[in-house]
């Protein structure tokens, strides 16, 4: 696990950048929502990105920073890089939502849009040919995971008797950080990964006992799911999670609608996966905390979902 001391140090390091997000109760339930969509970049990614940059040496940052991201890590890194006064280059898959790409550019990041396979290769290799600077891996950078883990510190402080924590899974950096903190402070608390039916890599890995490639189908849940669990992440993920939950696109769209209607919260697809899991009843009962990881959703997609549709 990520050492608790590293996560606590990250909390001090990111103070003044990431905000302590509220934990609110879904009315008439024992489901609690950790609203990371209220961060300055509308996602949790500002935590890990800021910690990675503030922990880096001047020599590491001399050439700027680079990452590969579907949008949210890109925004977090661009924001943190702008604050640090260094350039940021972002390699994005060509299916990334326009909302996220425009936000990256407004934050001063340079976007390189590539086919999914090229983007995934950059993640696997922690490198992209032609992009100079410190590569801040969106998933397996320990400084990023420690920053993500600060969510777990806040959660246990605010809800110490939580039974289950549900975390969206894209590459494993978020759940590894949160679960490391939660398990260190409350070992009996269960932590489940939530992923879309269109890219359920964790479920496949748990069934096979090792990373297994699944068919990846792009969907409106663009910030979660993967083709496979990265080999470097599997030992850590396997150690800290208690299982995985797969949500259908219909369930996820329904959770987006419910968040908007009952809590007045705008969540992207990945951010609503956890509530979809909690509402399904398939992750058990008790007191459940859902990490609402972000709110960067194209308004055209949100409009269709609020009208009762399930976009592809």
């Amino acid at each position: 696990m990520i050492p608790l001391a590293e996560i606590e140090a990250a909390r001090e390091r990111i103070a003044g950048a990431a905000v302590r997000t509220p934990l609110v109760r879904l009315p008439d339930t024992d489901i609690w929502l950790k609203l990371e969509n209220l961060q300055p970049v509308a996602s949790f990614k500002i935590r890990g990105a800021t910690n990675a940059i503030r922990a880096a040496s001047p020599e590491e940052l001399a050439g700027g920073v680079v990452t590969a991201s579907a949008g949210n890590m890109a925004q977090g890194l661009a924001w943190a890089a702008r604050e640090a006064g260094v350039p940021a280059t972002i390699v994005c898959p060509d299916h990334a939502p326009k909302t996220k790409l425009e936000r990256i550019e407004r934050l001063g990041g340079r976007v390189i849009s590539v086919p999914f396979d090229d983007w995934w290769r950059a993640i696997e290799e922690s490198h992209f040919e032609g992009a100079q600077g410190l590569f801040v891996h969106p998933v397996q950078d320990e400084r990023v995971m420690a920053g993500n883990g600060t969510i777990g510190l806040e959660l246990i402080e605010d809800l110490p008797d939580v039974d289950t924590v549900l975390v969206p899974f894209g590459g494993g950096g978020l759940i590894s950080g949160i679960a490391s903190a939660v398990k260190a402070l409350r070992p009996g608390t269960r932590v489940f990964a939530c992923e879309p039916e269109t890219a359920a890599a964790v479920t496949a890995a748990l069934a096979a006992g090792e990373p297994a490639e699944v068919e990846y189908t792009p969907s409106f849940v663009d910030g979660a799911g993967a083709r496979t669990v990265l080999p470097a992440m599997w030992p850590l993920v396997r150690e800290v999670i208690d299982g995985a939950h797969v949500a259908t696109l219909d369930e996820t769209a329904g959770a987006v609608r419910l968040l908007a209607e009952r809590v007045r919260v705008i969540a992207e697809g990945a951010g609503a996966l956890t509530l979809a899991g909690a509402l399904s009843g398939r992750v058990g009962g008790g007191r459940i905390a859902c990490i609402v990881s972000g709110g960067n959703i194209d308004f055209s997609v949100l409009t269709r979902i609020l009208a009762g549709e399930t976009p592809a």
Side-chain angles (χ1 to χ4, degrees):
M1 296 192 293
I2 305 303
L4 185 62
E6 290 187 19
I7 299 172
E8 292 172 334
R11 172 153 65 176
E12 297 299 318
R13 200 175 285 123
I14 69 177
V19 301
R20 185 183 181 114
T21 51
L23 183 70
V24 302
R25 190 174 189 170
L26 183 68
D28 304 317
T29 74
D30 207 2
I31 297 172
W32 297 77
L33 310 168
K34 179 67 169 165
L35 299 180
E36 287 296 297
N37 60 306
L38 300 181
Q39 291 289 355
V41 295
S43 90
F44 75 95
K45 293 287 190 179
I46 194 172
R47 295 178 184 259
T50 299
N51 191 51
I53 287 182
R54 291 185 176 179
S57 67
E59 291 76 20
E60 288 179 290
L61 296 176
V65 292
V66 182
T67 197
S69 168
N72 281 342
M73 181 61 175
Q75 293 179 59
L77 194 71
W79 191 96
R82 185 182 66 180
E83 293 296 299
V86 298
T89 300
I90 316 297
V91 182
C92 294
D94 52 16
H95 70 271
K98 182 179 178 182
T99 298
K100 295 183 179 180
L101 299 180
E102 291 175 346
R103 175 74 171 170
I104 295 165
E105 292 174 339
R106 286 199 300 271
L107 290 168
R110 178 171 74 98
V111 174
I112 301 176
S113 184
V114 299
F116 179 88
D117 288 346
D118 294 342
W119 174 75
W120 186 253
R121 189 176 305 112
I123 291 178
E124 290 181 321
E125 298 176 355
S126 298
H127 172 76
F128 186 79
E129 189 66 34
Q132 302 299 314
L134 171 68
F135 192 92
V136 179
H137 200 284
V139 175
Q140 59 194 38
D141 186 309
E142 285 200 11
R143 293 180 289 200
V144 170
M145 287 188 276
N148 296 341
T150 60
I151 297 171
L153 297 181
E154 295 173 8
L155 179 60
I156 294 302
E157 288 170 356
D158 292 344
L159 198 68
D161 56 349
V162 61
D163 296 302
T164 303
V165 180
L166 303 182
V167 186
F169 191 101
L174 177 60
I175 199 168
S176 296
I178 291 175
S180 292
V182 168
K183 298 286 188 178
L185 297 170
R186 293 290 184 274
T189 299
R190 300 180 304 161
V191 180
F192 285 89
C194 294
E195 53 190 350
E197 61 181 341
T198 52
V202 187
T203 299
L206 290 172
E210 62 183 2
E213 190 162 309
V214 299
E215 182 177 352
Y216 177 90
T217 305
S219 74
F220 77 92
V221 190
D222 57 272
R227 176 174 291 173
T228 187
V229 178
L230 293 170
M233 290 299 297
W234 174 240
L236 178 56
V237 169
R238 180 179 54 193
E239 178 185 3
V240 298
I241 70 171
D242 294 281
H245 169 74
V246 178
T248 68
L249 294 185
D250 283 342
E251 289 172 333
T252 308
V256 171
R257 279 192 295 274
L258 190 146
L259 285 166
E261 293 168 354
R262 295 184 62 185
V263 196
R264 295 299 187 258
V265 163
I266 294 178
E268 60 188 271
L273 276 174
T274 54
L275 180 58
L279 295 173
S280 74
R282 296 193 292 271
V283 296
R287 180 156 290 177
I288 300 174
C290 298
I291 309 302
V292 181
S293 56
N296 290 307
I297 185 170
D298 279 349
F299 280 163
S300 59
V301 174
L302 178 62
T303 300
R304 292 175 60 192
I305 290 174
L306 295 181
E309 297 182 39
T310 298

